[in-house]
Every structure is written in structure tokens, then in C-alpha cells.
Amino acid sequence: MEIKLAESIRTFRKERSLTQEQLAEVLGVTVGAVYKWEAGLSTPELPLIVEMADFFDTSIDVLLGYILKDNRIDATARRLRHCQRVKDLNGLEEAEKALKKYPNSFIIVYRSAMLYQALGLYKRDNAKLRRALELLEKARPLLHQNTNPRISEQTLYVAMAEISQDLEDDERALELFRQHNTDGLYSDCIGMILAKDAKRAQEALPYLSESLLIHEAALVRTVMGYLNLFLNSRDYAQAQALLAWALPIFTAMPRPECTSFMDKINSVFYLFQAHVLLKTGQPEEARTSAEEAHRLAVRFDAAPSYAADTIRFAMPGEDSTVNDDLGETAAQAAQNALKQMDDPQTTTLWQEMCDAR
């Protein structure tokens, strides 16, 4: 708790145009006493604080600079979350006070654990990380109190796995990640840990391959979402910037020696790029993009493949396949994209590509 008595005395005195001598005379003390109060070198006794509050026509709370803090559970949890975000070490003191006051509150215990984890990583302080683990273990039996749908038992175990990894307890981290690796959600973490050990590097490959495919698919969906957003709001400049960033990544995904489902997906993205370039007054660049869209569509439809191992770095022999809702063929996917664009100029340009084949 911060007391601002020295600053308050000085401020109130100056507001009334008083010198330190004049205030000392009013209170019946020495000038040196007032000087020490304002310099924070000493503190007036309580009767003098009461007398000053009365003299300055204010309350003792205001004179002290004390602001009543909301210490209810929800407000405290929000402050702990803020301290976690801004890496505020002062939050640890509040966390420990809150843990004493609300020892059986899930949200207080959980937020305190997350704060200790964040600051333990930030300061490379293993003691703080171990405290975070201790609090997460304490939070588990309190989980029934939780009302936040984004926090679950899995959330707690994965946080424990991450902290174990930071504490170089890789075996414990692997155990926890594997137990909660639903749909390959933590295959990247498992693969990364295994790949550090030369003796287990090959064991890492299936996990890394699975993670690669999962995250590449997620990136494609995310870019398509952003693209729809920008096109619906007619923000063609942002759409152009998005595609200029994403297409080099997407075109580098498939293995160059074979046809890949990414050829079909990239064909659609290049067609969208042609549309955006037309809308921004770049017809020649739009034609080049449409030509690439058509080339990729023809390439895919000549030998369609949805095998996952057509992606670079995916594990050879990967037997999984990929599905999409773009259309049965790349040509159909292009037609579906054109319907979505509903732009005669882009449709005409695409038809020219098809007629020139």
C-alpha cells in the first residue's frame, strides 16, 4: 500500500499559498519538522495528521493519499492477470496476500500460478516456476469452481508440462503433453523435446510431421478468414498485403517434384489475388496472377493428390489425407471462388485463361 502523505502535505500547503514556516506556525511545530514531513524523512504523529486534515478541509484518507482498493475475488484476479501481462513483480506480493485471504478460491490460485509462471520465465527464476507448479497442483481440486470456458483440466496439465519443460524436467513434460495431446494439439511440444536428444530424434519425426500439417492447415484457414473479412469490407489494400505475405509461404509448402493438394488451394488464392489486383487498378499484375492460378489448377486436375506427404518436411509415407470444401476439382474450386467474388471483370479474365489453354 502506497502512502503519499509527504506529497499531499506539500500540495495542500502550496494550494493555500503557505510557506513551510507559516504551516509550522499553524500546527505549533518547527519549520524543520514540516521540511522532514514533505521530504518523506519523517511522519507526523496521528493527532497532527488529524489537525492538518481539518485545517486543509479534507479527509484523512485524501491527506494520506490512500485509495481504497477493491479486494473482492474478481477484482483481485483481474489485477493478478494484469500483473501477468505487464510482468509486474509487485504482483507477487499481492498474489501471496490474496492466497492467504482466499486460499480455496480457484481463480485466485490459478491466476497466482500463471503470474508466477510468467515472472519465472521472465526472470529465469526456477524458484518462481516451482511455486507456479505448486499452485497449479493446488488449483486442480478447486477446478469445479471455475466458470471460464477457456480454462479446463487440460489447461492446468499443459501449463504444468510447460513449466516442467522450463525446469528441464523433460520426462515429466513429455508425460503430461502426451496424456493431453488430443488431435495432435501438442505434437509440436512433444516433437521439440524429443528432437533435442540425438538418441530420440527419429522418435520426434511423426510428432513434428503431424504438427506441421495441423498448423499449415490452420494457417490456410486463418488467411482465408482474413481474406473474406477484407473483401466483404472492400478493403482491397489489406487483402493485397495479406496475399503478398501468404502466397510465398503457401507456394513453398508442397514438394516441387509432385502434385499436391496445395496446388489446388494456391490456385484459388492466386485467383483471389487477380481479383484484388483488378480492384486496385493493376490489370497486368492481375493477368500474371490469373495465369498462375490457371497453371496450378491444370497441374492439379491432371494428377490430383490429397496425400499429406506431398507437403515439404512431412514424414515420408504419411498415410493421412487432406479434405477441403473448395470443389471436387481445381477447376470447380475456381468457379466457386468466382461466384463468391461476383465480379464480371475477374470472371472474364479467368475465362480468357481457360480459352487460351
Side-chain angles (χ1 to χ4, degrees):
M1 180 175 64
E2 185 179 4
I3 299 297
K4 299 182 178 180
L5 179 59
E7 181 182 335
S8 295
I9 294 173
R10 184 169 57 253
T11 299
F12 278 114
R13 175 179 62 78
K14 289 183 176 181
E15 284 179 354
R16 283 156 178 74
S17 302
L18 296 173
T19 64
Q20 288 184 341
E21 290 83 356
Q22 288 170 325
L23 180 59
E25 184 178 351
V26 168
L27 298 173
V29 298
T30 65
V31 176
V34 175
Y35 168 79
K36 288 182 179 180
W37 297 342
E38 293 188 359
L41 300 175
S42 67
T43 303
E45 294 182 357
L46 182 57
L48 283 170
I49 292 175
V50 174
E51 188 175 348
M52 273 190 284
D54 184 61
F55 177 74
F56 291 134
D57 296 319
T58 189
S59 69
I60 294 175
D61 283 356
V62 172
L63 185 62
L64 292 173
Y66 173 74
I67 299 174
L68 182 63
K69 187 163 61 174
D70 186 349
N71 287 315
R72 290 173 295 179
I73 289 178
D74 289 347
T76 302
R78 285 194 295 271
R79 285 197 299 274
L80 294 176
R81 179 72 179 96
H82 174 74
C83 290
Q84 176 191 342
R85 286 197 300 268
V86 301
K87 309 294 189 294
D88 184 358
L89 284 168
N90 294 321
L92 295 179
E93 181 180 354
E94 175 155 11
E96 291 300 333
K97 288 180 180 178
L99 288 165
K100 289 182 176 67
K101 189 172 184 178
Y102 304 110
N104 297 311
S105 165
F106 170 78
I107 194 61
I108 294 297
V109 176
Y110 174 74
R111 286 300 174 203
S112 296
M114 294 296 96
L115 175 60
Y116 268 102
Q117 180 187 13
L119 293 176
L121 289 173
Y122 181 57
K123 290 293 185 179
R124 295 182 177 272
D125 187 330
N126 286 353
K128 290 182 175 60
L129 292 174
R130 285 191 288 271
R131 177 61 170 152
L133 268 180
E134 177 187 332
L135 290 170
L136 285 169
E137 288 284 6
K138 185 177 180 180
R140 284 173 49 209
L142 302 173
L143 187 61
H144 64 278
Q145 301 173 17
N146 177 50
T147 58
N148 186 341
R150 301 189 64 151
I151 301 173
S152 65
E153 187 175 28
Q154 183 181 38
T155 308
L156 303 185
Y157 279 117
V158 169
M160 293 166 66
E162 292 171 344
I163 295 170
S164 298
Q165 186 178 354
D166 292 321
L167 289 170
E168 299 184 358
D169 187 353
D170 286 348
E171 290 307 311
R172 177 59 173 157
L174 277 172
E175 178 187 1
L176 289 168
F177 279 130
R178 280 173 163 157
Q179 287 175 357
H180 302 279
N181 194 33
T182 307
D183 291 331
L185 191 58
Y186 301 107
S187 288
D188 54 337
C189 300
I190 297 170
M192 184 173 63
I193 294 172
L194 291 171
K196 291 192 301 181
D197 185 348
K199 295 179 181 179
R200 307 178 76 177
Q202 289 305 306
E203 190 182 342
L205 187 56
Y207 291 103
L208 294 174
S209 179
E210 180 179 38
S211 176
L212 178 72
L213 295 169
I214 289 171
H215 287 89
E216 286 186 350
L219 181 59
V220 169
R221 291 192 298 270
T222 302
V223 169
M224 183 60 77
Y226 268 111
L227 185 59
N228 288 332
L229 173 69
F230 294 143
L231 291 179
N232 286 333
S233 61
R234 292 181 171 76
D235 191 344
Y236 298 115
Q238 283 281 67
Q240 183 177 348
L242 174 71
L243 290 167
W245 169 78
L247 274 169
I249 299 173
F250 292 163
T251 54
M253 287 181 182
R255 298 180 189 273
E257 68 273 14
C258 60
T259 304
S260 168
F261 60 90
M262 280 304 300
D263 293 330
K264 177 183 178 183
I265 293 171
N266 286 331
S267 172
V268 171
F269 277 118
Y270 271 110
L271 185 55
F272 272 109
Q273 186 178 60
H275 170 64
V276 169
L277 290 167
L278 286 173
K279 290 298 184 182
T280 54
Q282 302 174 75
E284 292 305 316
E285 292 84 350
R287 178 169 292 275
T288 299
S289 187
E291 287 172 349
E292 181 63 9
H294 188 262
R295 184 188 74 79
L296 289 171
V298 170
R299 170 186 164 93
F300 178 83
D301 285 347
S305 173
Y306 291 92
D309 64 358
T310 60
I311 295 296
R312 288 178 190 248
F313 309 114
M315 191 173 77
E318 185 79 48
D319 59 2
S320 60
T321 59
V322 177
N323 302 307
D324 67 61
D325 59 357
L326 299 175
E328 186 174 343
T329 64
Q332 184 60 54
Q335 290 300 321
N336 291 336
L338 289 169
K339 287 180 182 177
Q340 181 181 342
M341 294 176 219
D342 192 22
D343 179 56
Q345 193 177 8
T346 308
T347 301
T348 298
L349 178 59
W350 178 252
Q351 191 60 51
E352 288 176 9
M353 299 299 109
C354 296
D355 292 344
R357 180 167 178 253

